[in-house]
Amino acid sequence: MCKADTAMHEPLVPPDKGASILVVDDTPANLQVLVGMLKEHGYRVRPVLDGPMALRSAKADVPDLILLDINMPDMNGFEVCEQLKANPNLADIPVIFISGNNETADKVKAFSMGGVDYVTKPFQMAEVEARVATHLELRRKRRELQESLDSLRRLENLRDSLVHMVVHDLRSPLAAISASLEVIKWDAEEQHRPDLVSDVETALHATRSIIRLVNSVLDVSKMEGSQMRLNLATCDVAS
């Protein structure tokens, strides 16, 4: 049986208003206390009395957090958590275990199964509120971070595609410029104009440098995309 803390207090972390919480406990009195407390803080709460029902409820409407009793008949909390973590759609739901056992072995097993926290009965409501709010906030931060990472990856892919397109399109005009300069150089040599030959050679040198740079950028792009084939061969490292 849980023990309520009736003193007025403010949670350490502001509640995530509207967050969905699945509460799993085979003792109706515990469910009633937890559901009442969580609803007072603006959470959307779904109480269930056993493990199989919890799994069905989580699959039908994925909650933001689960409060999960360990000692339940038929399917205990560890078994429920194991099935949750095996489902890709449910694996990242934070699970806070609730148990009357205060043994270290149970706590270690709870965390090894994927639980994020462990609350012992009889629990203080202020403690439960703080832990719930904290883990909901952590989940929100993780989601924001993942969204930022996804956005960054999209921007990087867009940048890489743009660079590849621009660099690839430069090859043809650079080749044409190089060929034209070769012709001009040949004509200048035929006309015995060393000043013009020198100027054209300078332009050719710069053009070839740009072509090498373009080819290097394309090679790097191929390597990053695992598109470059390696030609393996033995060699004399010392030489």
Side-chain angles (χ1 to χ4, degrees), residues 14-63:
D16 184 0
K17 298 296 185 180
S20 172
I21 300 177
L22 183 64
V23 183
V24 189
D25 197 315
D26 63 329
T27 304
N30 286 348
L31 279 180
Q32 183 178 4
V33 172
L34 286 169
V35 170
M37 178 273 294
L38 294 170
K39 284 187 174 180
E40 284 181 2
H41 286 80
Y43 299 116
R44 294 183 294 113
V45 189
R46 282 179 286 154
V48 295
L49 289 166
D50 57 51
M53 190 184 302
L55 291 172
R56 290 194 298 270
S57 180
K59 291 175 183 177
D61 184 8
V62 179

Side-chain angles (χ1 to χ4, degrees), residues 112-133:
S112 68
M113 296 298 296
V116 297
D117 214 333
Y118 191 100
V119 179
T120 55
K121 300 177 185 178
F123 45 75
Q124 298 293 326
M125 296 310 299
E127 178 187 6
V128 176
E129 292 168 21
R131 292 175 187 261
V132 166

Side-chain angles (χ1 to χ4, degrees), residues 6-182:
T6 57
M8 297 297 292
H9 59 274
E10 291 294 333
L12 297 177
V13 178
D16 184 0
K17 298 296 185 180
S20 172
I21 300 177
L22 183 64
V23 183
V24 189
D25 197 315
D26 63 329
T27 304
N30 286 348
L31 279 180
Q32 183 178 4
V33 172
L34 286 169
V35 170
M37 178 273 294
L38 294 170
K39 284 187 174 180
E40 284 181 2
H41 286 80
Y43 299 116
R44 294 183 294 113
V45 189
R46 282 179 286 154
V48 295
L49 289 166
D50 57 51
M53 190 184 302
L55 291 172
R56 290 194 298 270
S57 180
K59 291 175 183 177
D61 184 8
V62 179
D64 296 304
L65 183 140
I66 297 176
L67 284 170
L68 180 59
D69 186 27
I70 292 178
N71 299 315
M72 296 185 294
D74 300 328
M75 178 182 286
N76 64 38
F78 294 137
E79 295 169 327
V80 174
C81 188
E82 184 177 23
Q83 292 199 29
L84 287 170
K85 299 305 175 182
N87 187 325
N89 296 324
L90 308 176
D92 68 338
I93 303 172
V95 176
I96 299 178
F97 282 104
I98 299 174
S99 175
N101 297 329
N102 198 24
E103 298 295 329
T104 300
D106 288 331
K107 295 180 180 180
V108 170
K109 184 174 182 179
F111 287 112
S112 68
M113 296 298 296
V116 297
D117 214 333
Y118 191 100
V119 179
T120 55
K121 300 177 185 178
F123 45 75
Q124 298 293 326
M125 296 310 299
E127 178 187 6
V128 176
E129 292 168 21
R131 292 175 187 261
V132 166
T134 296
H135 288 292
L136 284 172
E137 177 69 8
L138 287 173
R139 187 172 196 237
R140 187 179 68 82
K141 293 294 185 183
R142 282 196 299 270
R143 282 179 170 177
E144 290 178 352
L145 179 58
Q146 186 61 53
E147 290 173 359
S148 297
L149 288 173
D150 292 341
S151 177
L152 180 59
R153 289 193 185 100
R154 288 192 296 270
L155 290 173
E156 287 179 341
N157 290 334
L158 180 61
R159 179 206 62 191
D160 292 343
S161 298
L162 180 61
V163 169
H164 186 275
M165 179 183 66
V166 171
V167 171
H168 186 273
D169 289 348
L170 283 174
R171 297 180 75 179
S172 294
L174 285 171
I177 292 171
S178 180
S180 298
L181 288 172
E182 289 284 2

